[in-house]
Amino acid sequence: MNDTSTDRERIVRAAHDLFYARGIQAVGMDAVRTASGVSLKRLYAQFPSKDDLVVAVLHFTTGLWDAGISRAAEAARTPRDKLLAVYDFLGIWFTDDDFRGCGFINAFGELGATSPAVAEVARAQKATFQAYVAGLVDELGAPPILAAQLALLAEGAQTTAAISGSPDAAAAARSAAETLIDAALADSRSASTATA
């Protein structure tokens, strides 16, 4: 890895931690410089604007999210278990001492109205997550509407856990997801029997 890519990685990781802990607008580029140990000149060579840095941080956060979901799903054997693993992942994440809610929701709330680039990355991540859930719902043989319902449960759990400071939202969302999955599968079976 060359110095440029090492600097870039250090800057993004430092900014990720600072933005997530304090909020994007509360953190200046000087704080990122200090935390990363990279000179201000090198920082601006990598990221000419703060928006550029925020977008890079959101892409980095996407990688963390995707890796977490993948790890949670590895042990699951069925599409149903993989769907429920999402809520198991949330339950673990919500107990982290530094949990401050969804970084994409936080970034969109702070900058979505003024930064089209930030809004675009946040929307893309949410669409990718919904597509992941939709793929599992399709494998399960359940109606497509279930994917939107399950994704909303996950999003709501993140917001509720962040505001309440309690990880209990993950267990409640998982329980609701089980109910929705079972109801959707029962409806599908009933529809299949009725048309047979």
Side-chain angles (χ1 to χ4, degrees), residues 15-78:
H16 169 270
D17 294 348
L18 289 169
F19 292 165
Y20 190 67
R22 299 187 206 164
I24 296 166
Q25 294 178 357
V27 175
M29 295 298 261
D30 281 338
V32 175
R33 174 192 49 83
T34 300
S36 67
V38 174
S39 72
L40 206 53
K41 181 179 178 183
R42 289 181 80 120
L43 192 156
Y44 278 110
Q46 290 291 320
F47 301 101
S49 74
K50 191 172 180 182
D51 257 19
D52 294 332
L53 179 55
V54 173
V55 167
V57 166
L58 291 176
H59 285 298
F60 173 75
T61 305
T62 297
L64 295 176
W65 170 266
D66 292 347
I69 293 290
S70 293
R71 277 192 308 275
E74 281 175 6
R77 294 195 322 229
T78 68

Side-chain angles (χ1 to χ4, degrees), residues 5 37 43 59 86 90 94-95 100 111 128 159 161 179 189 191:
S5 60
L43 192 156
H59 285 298
V86 168
L90 294 177
F94 294 172
T95 62
R100 301 287 179 270
L111 301 174
T128 300
T159 302
T179 300
R189 284 193 289 271

